[in-house]
Amino acid sequence: MTPPDAPHNRWSDLDRPPLNGTALRRGLLRPDTLWTSLEVVESTGSTNTDLAGRARDGAVGEGAVLVAEEQTAGRGRLERTWTAPPRSGLFFSVYLEPGDIPVERWGWVPLLAGVAAATGLAKSAGVDMSLKWPNDLLVAVAGEERKTGGILGEFAGDGIVVGLGINVSLRADELPAPTAGSLALAGAVSTDRETLLRAVLRSLEDWYGRWKEADGDAAASGLQAAYAAGCATLDRTVRAELPGGKSLLGEAVAIDGDGRLVLSTEDGLQQPVSAGDIVHLRGAAGGLT
């Protein structure tokens, strides 16, 4: 580890080499692909904030990708912050324009990104991944379920910006919380960030294409079934902490056609939850490989 008072440079941690933007563009930006631009910056507050601003200004089109080696003000759901050492993970945002797809179906896009990221990482890192509803990526570290990534979507311009933060090489003493994990701690066969990023973006392009071809229908595109198959929240007793300070206890039994989590409560009701923080209490976790 580099001493805290040592001058920072892009090679200050040799275990964490910088991303090669030129190589990434060469491999991903082709005429027949979704991705149209890719920029790697050394540091920024939030890739989502930056890319959303460009989208609102009309400065980027669909398929723009912004990657940061370090985020100093990364945002997660519910206005939480997301921080990690430089080059220890993948911190990036993409801009998508679903076009004529009904706006009420756009809420599936962050969930789609979760399926795509879990699928791409499982293949490229060789780690079993699962999803915590709505937008967390989970791995097992020493037999314990840990969060290794998060996803945040927000409307911007004529589309939606989706940001992903994924802990790749974080060591145990660098974890921001006891519930956090990383691909390295989960036994990844590869922590090469360029390989992982390419895999995630290609998987995202594939799932986004399927969803658009089905006019945003999550069932017809297979997205709803794929999310349910990889969702660690289903078949568990959970507590949903809802906006306004209320909470709801029940068994997570389904993901409905609108991407909502359906809870079966003690009084026998089937209650859909569209927003909130979910706490896993007990039950078996699912997996996505």
Side-chain angles (χ1 to χ4, degrees), residues 47 56 104 107 128 136 142 155 204 235 237 246 257:
T47 57
R56 294 186 186 101
E104 58 268 23
D128 288 337
D136 287 348
F155 294 113
L204 180 52
D235 301 321
T237 299
K246 297 181 180 180

Side-chain angles (χ1 to χ4, degrees), residues 210-222:
R210 295 191 214 181
W211 179 76
K212 286 193 73 175
E213 287 177 7
D215 195 31
D217 187 320
S221 65

Side-chain angles (χ1 to χ4, degrees), residues 38-64:
L38 186 148
E39 180 183 1
V40 178
V41 298
E42 187 69 21
S43 180
T44 190
S46 163
T47 57
N48 251 37
T49 298
D50 293 351
L51 194 56
R54 296 179 189 180
R56 294 186 186 101
D57 292 340
V60 295
E62 181 172 51

